[in-house]
Amino acid sequence: MSRSPEGPTLRAPLGGAALHLDLGAEHDAVGWTVLGGGRRTVRRVDWWLATSDDLLPGVDAREWVQERVTAAGGEEGATAAFLTSRRLDAHVVESAECEHGTVRAVATVGLGNALTAGDDATPVRVCTINVAVVLPCPCTEEAMLETLGLASEAKCAAVLDAGMRSVVSARRATGTGTDALVVLAPAPSTEGPEGRQPYAGKHTTLGAAVGRADGRMLRLIRPLTRTILPGLT
């Protein structure tokens, strides 16, 4: 299966209304996104800017995103897409090297919806942390799930380190109410575990690179608590 020699590329068309991460080839994907979540094969990851006025009661968020993905030329069933109210020109990109190649992480970070696990259920808001992690090598499903857990752990650690408080309970926040993550790895040319990395935990060079890339990227949470949410400690 052919792969892009230049790796994933980012585009920001439509006057800032969207951010497209073109993967250059088919990638296995595992995660939870508004569109294209679960386990599937994708060629692109999108971030779409939305406001509360866009997602009024009765509007199906998945259909809202699907209409825009289709209009922007996204292949049917081959795009994973996030929703955010964070300005897309404020997206963050980081990378880290390991023996298998370059791990890349892309995120948009909105903090106005800070919550902690166990807070009471409240109406959904679209201010959120959305993270895509692109691995440099094919991985087993177990390794991709391990990466998903590691990326979520890094996100929680960054929010806790920033000292943010839940807007509902005032306890230390662990994220926002609508955080979403997806992990992507090049799809191999054959089925089965051969040629796939079996593990991606902290004791592996792949997992260490994921942690470094995510950690660098999410360090911006602390300065954002001062510029966007003054007074949070």
Side-chain angles (χ1 to χ4, degrees), residues 120-220:
D120 291 338
T122 54
V124 173
R125 298 172 61 185
V126 292
C127 192
T128 188
I129 301 171
N130 294 317
V131 181
V133 178
V134 185
L135 303 176
C137 53
C139 292
T140 62
E141 187 169 353
E142 293 88 342
M144 294 186 68
L145 290 171
E146 199 168 20
T147 302
L148 196 64
L150 185 56
S152 184
E153 184 177 340
K155 182 265 298 182
C156 292
V159 175
L160 285 168
D161 183 61
M164 295 182 63
R165 299 282 176 176
S166 165
V167 297
V168 170
S169 65
R171 292 186 295 159
R172 294 286 293 273
T174 55
T176 79
T178 47
D179 291 344
L181 289 86
V182 65
V183 171
L184 308 115
S189 56
T190 59
E191 294 295 328
E194 295 78 11
R196 298 174 186 255
Q197 292 302 313
Y199 305 109
K202 297 184 186 74
H203 292 290
T204 68
T205 60
L206 182 59
V210 170
R212 288 197 303 274
D214 272 16
R216 292 170 188 161
M217 177 179 59
L218 292 169
R219 285 195 190 108
L220 92 162

